Amino acid sequence: MTTNTVVTLNKLVPSGAPTLENFKVAAAPVPTKDALKDGEILVRTLYLSCDPYMRGRLSGRTDSYVASFEAGKPIDGLGVGVVEASSHADYKEGDIVTGGA
């Protein structure tokens, strides 16, 4: 079985440098081609962006232009990937896509 690596924020980091204790890394099953609903695509990540603005998202601040990450939830960001399977009319297997959660 193929697995995803999921990085979850354990606790917010209001100040200072984040440490490994602030995060949890776990494996999760990869959805299968057969599990796709109409209009969905399955993307294999090639590159993920790690940008300075993400530090602010770790702090829990509510007065920022971008929402904070939530403790207990996966960390999202922007990336580039390749379509592994598609049930969407506009995307086919092998297409390179960009986006983020």
Side-chain angles (χ1 to χ4, degrees):
M1 172 174 68
T2 305
T3 59
N4 277 329
T5 300
V6 180
V7 180
T8 304
L9 181 64
N10 274 338
K11 60 182 177 178
L12 295 169
V13 188
S15 63
T19 65
L20 292 177
E21 289 77 33
N22 295 109
F23 306 96
K24 177 182 175 188
V25 178
V30 172
T32 64
K33 181 187 245 183
D34 297 331
L36 290 179
K37 296 176 184 156
D38 286 341
E40 291 184 331
I41 61 175
L42 179 63
V43 176
R44 178 173 44 90
T45 303
L46 300 174
Y47 301 99
L48 290 174
S49 176
C50 186
D51 298 303
Y53 87 94
M54 296 174 92
R55 174 59 188 95
R57 295 187 70 191
L58 293 172
S59 71
R61 290 179 51 182
T62 58
D63 61 347
S64 178
Y65 67 95
V66 64
S68 290
F69 293 125
E70 294 182 50
K73 296 203 175 174
I75 294 174
D76 60 51
L78 301 175
V80 177
V82 61
V83 175
E84 294 288 317
S86 175
S87 65
H88 193 292
D90 295 339
Y91 300 95
K92 64 182 184 309
E93 191 174 317
D95 283 352
I96 301 296
V97 294
T98 63

